[in-house]
Amino acid sequence: MQTNLKHFLVAFIFVLSCFCNAQGNRNEFVVVIDPGHGGRDSGTPGTKRYRTTEKDIALDVSLALGKLIQDNLPQVKVIYTRDKDVFPTLNARAIKANKANADLFISIHCNAQPKGKGTAYGSETYVLGLHKNATNLEVAKRENSVIFLEKDHEETYKDFDINDSESLIGLMLMQEDYLDQSIELAAYIENEFQTTAKRKSRGVKQAGFWVLSQTYMPSVLVELGFLTHKKEEDYLNSNKGKSIMTKALFNAVQKYIEMHFKLVNKAAILEKKQDEDDTVTQDIYPEITFKVQIAASSKRISTKSYNFKGLKEISRDKKGNIYKYYYGKTSDYSKIKTQLKHAKSKGYDECFIVAYKNAKRIPLNEALKSTSN
Ligand SMILES: [Zn+2]
């Protein structure tokens, strides 16, 4: 009995330390690439002049994108939701990305127009949201309709009505936190399609894609172009076209990573320097200082104002595996109260004032007692 307990404890501690390591080791940026469709779900067949369909082009571009990332950005880990011609469910794709605690989710598709409805062409990149027009809704419906090919879809998707995007609102809350970053990546992608690939961009759009609603990270769905448009279908079936579109996607992903995580090349050095900077600023604090704590997260986010609803003067510290984010820094209590109001007006409803004495966090009432404020 004693020995059993000991074995149990050893195993428990081992599992715990693995868990802690996994959580603490965020020097790695994880990108999940999701090639749309696959297996018995061919996606759009386009003009039917090719034997290949949407699923093949999506897979080719996805694998090439993953390879470019791995060859050029060694600290980025790439995970595919499928790397061959198989059919993972939409649900399985989202679960895989969430389990990997990924930092980005990129779903890759090709577009189609219903027969006789004109000859649209060009790329579109979607983020999750309520569609602004009927065309966006049609794209989302077409991409969501793969759920009907899944077994047990009534059970898995029981709260979701494909014809009613309002039914997605409840599910959308999960993506809400990441919407700004998703839009940012989508904008880089469409910009790259226009400049690097010299293609027509139809812009960044919003619609209710089920797969995007289930991921806990910035997520986009890319429509490379219309396979129902002959010239575009030719382009996307050509090796040249695919490699140019891949390069454009890579540039956009690289730019996003550079903006948000300074870990491409020499990341460790940068991180160390950042920590030293934090220490230095702490040493020169006046005796009592106040900040507004606005967020806490397991992710290390750059303190740029665009990541914090436009708030400037953002600082960060780390305790255990959690990064805390603060707005403002002053020894003047009335000033910090004004800054608290400002942060709340920006949507940080739960923010609060924290106090430090010689860079050590102390209870707020203790700080107030020892200041003349
Ligand atoms: Zn698709």
Side-chain angles (χ1 to χ4, degrees), residues 36-37 43-44 54 108-110 142-143 146 221 223:
H37 314 274
T44 178
E54 177 183 359
I108 294 179
H109 293 254
C110 300
R142 191 174 62 74
E143 300 294 10
V146 305
L221 186 144
E223 298 281 0

Side-chain angles (χ1 to χ4, degrees), residues 46-81:
T47 65
K48 298 184 183 160
R49 295 173 303 141
Y50 288 86
R51 259 202 293 189
T52 51
T53 64
E54 177 183 359
K55 69 170 182 179
D56 304 299
I57 295 168
L59 183 60
D60 286 351
V61 171
S62 294
L63 294 179
L65 172 62
K67 190 172 182 319
L68 260 190
I69 292 174
Q70 277 165 337
D71 289 350
N72 293 285
L73 309 175
Q75 274 164 298
V76 178
K77 183 177 174 185
V78 174
I79 294 173
Y80 303 101
T81 56

